[in-house]
Amino acid sequence: GATDKPILLNNIPDAEAFISGAEVAVIGFFQDPQSPGAEQFRRAAGQVAEVPFGLSSSAAVLSHYGAAENTVVLFRTVDNDRRDLDMSSREVDAKKLTRFVRMNELRLVTEYNPVTAIGVMQSSLQFNLLLITDKMSPKHPERMRKFRAAAELYKGKILFILLDSNLQSNERVLSYFQLKKSQLPALAIFHTPDDEHEVVAVNDISIERVQDFCNRFLQ
């Protein structure tokens, strides 16, 4: 529960295990665990239930991760990337920290919305695969299960994104790929450096179908 957060990480093996155990992990590096920044960090930890928060005051752990004091670092396994936030400024409070986590938490499958869009745009991965679908469909849970299983196979290569066709803010994406709602669900793969993309309507999602589509495009 929120009361167990953040977890104290007193040495490098603990910190490494903490990071590798989650898709997204956040560590606050505070020399003084009672500082105002650390207090805001604890408040944010209680507000973001599904992301593990750790706190370390160990000089060895700070140096191992090349982290400055009073810094919060978000580690992502999906593209082996990290984001740092300086907590020294008075302006950085629990609300800003929560937003920082929400903006940058990319998972094996990231749901695209105005907040996560920033992390998606800044991802180091050059290939994005979108599943454009109606989240309210009774088939949605099963589609997601297969899409997620396929995402495991391309970790570090392709960023898998779920795009809910019901969201008004996503209509721009549909028109970009020249898709009508009657053609959904669809898969769209995208190479960010040159906007090269391919779209296919899929009635049934299978891991093999996703693999075939990705491999053809990657070749």
Side-chain angles (χ1 to χ4, degrees):
T3 46
D4 309 335
K5 295 174 80 167
I7 292 167
L8 293 179
L9 306 167
N10 298 319
N11 54 55
I12 294 165
D14 282 358
E16 285 177 337
F18 177 77
I19 293 164
S20 64
E23 284 190 46
V24 185
V26 177
I27 299 182
F29 295 97
F30 297 100
Q31 201 173 23
D32 174 10
Q34 305 309 321
S35 69
E39 194 43 53
Q40 293 298 324
F41 180 74
R42 283 193 188 84
R43 285 179 56 189
Q47 286 164 19
V48 188
E50 66 283 16
V51 176
F53 277 60
L55 190 147
S56 187
S57 309
S58 150
V61 176
L62 259 82
S63 134
H64 180 74
Y65 289 105
E69 279 171 32
N70 297 322
T71 301
V72 170
V73 181
L74 178 144
F75 296 90
R76 308 194 295 223
T77 55
V78 65
D79 55 357
N80 203 13
D81 205 353
R82 67 182 258 181
R83 297 271 181 257
D84 293 40
L85 177 69
D86 182 2
M87 293 292 289
S88 308
S89 149
R90 279 241 177 82
E91 281 85 70
V92 183
D93 57 8
K95 194 174 170 189
K96 286 202 172 139
L97 178 53
T98 303
R99 183 167 167 75
F100 165 77
V101 173
R102 290 282 178 238
M103 271 162 44
N104 291 295
E105 55 162 341
L106 296 186
R107 300 168 178 276
L108 271 177
V109 175
T110 298
E111 183 166 351
Y112 188 86
N113 59 45
V115 176
T116 60
I118 297 163
V120 168
M121 305 291 181
Q122 294 178 344
S123 167
S124 56
L125 296 183
Q126 296 190 333
F127 292 96
N128 293 346
L129 179 71
L130 285 76
L131 169 59
I132 304 168
T133 187
D134 173 2
K135 264 180 79 179
M136 306 308 286
S137 159
K139 293 182 177 171
H140 179 69
E142 183 57 18
R143 280 181 191 140
M144 267 309 280
R145 193 182 64 73
K146 290 173 178 166
F147 191 60
R148 199 185 155 75
E152 290 271 4
L153 306 171
Y154 293 95
K155 200 150 96 174
K157 280 191 195 158
I158 301 176
L159 187 59
F160 276 55
I161 298 164
L162 167 69
L163 196 112
D164 184 6
S165 56
N166 294 314
L167 277 188
Q168 213 171 348
S169 56
N170 287 337
E171 281 172 8
R172 276 198 349 236
V173 183
L174 284 174
S175 62
Y176 176 82
F177 289 118
Q178 298 176 337
L179 280 167
K180 298 186 183 75
K181 285 197 174 175
S182 58
Q183 296 168 295
L184 302 179
L187 290 172
I189 196 163
F190 190 88
H191 184 233
T192 49
D194 57 11
D195 287 357
E196 182 79 26
H197 61 271
E198 202 174 305
V199 182
V200 62
V202 281
N203 197 19
D204 284 322
I205 297 273
S206 70
I207 299 168
E208 296 72 28
R209 186 84 197 266
V210 174
Q211 269 186 288
D212 185 47
F213 183 58
C214 290
N215 292 345
R216 276 209 322 272
F217 188 80
L218 289 173
Q219 279 165 8

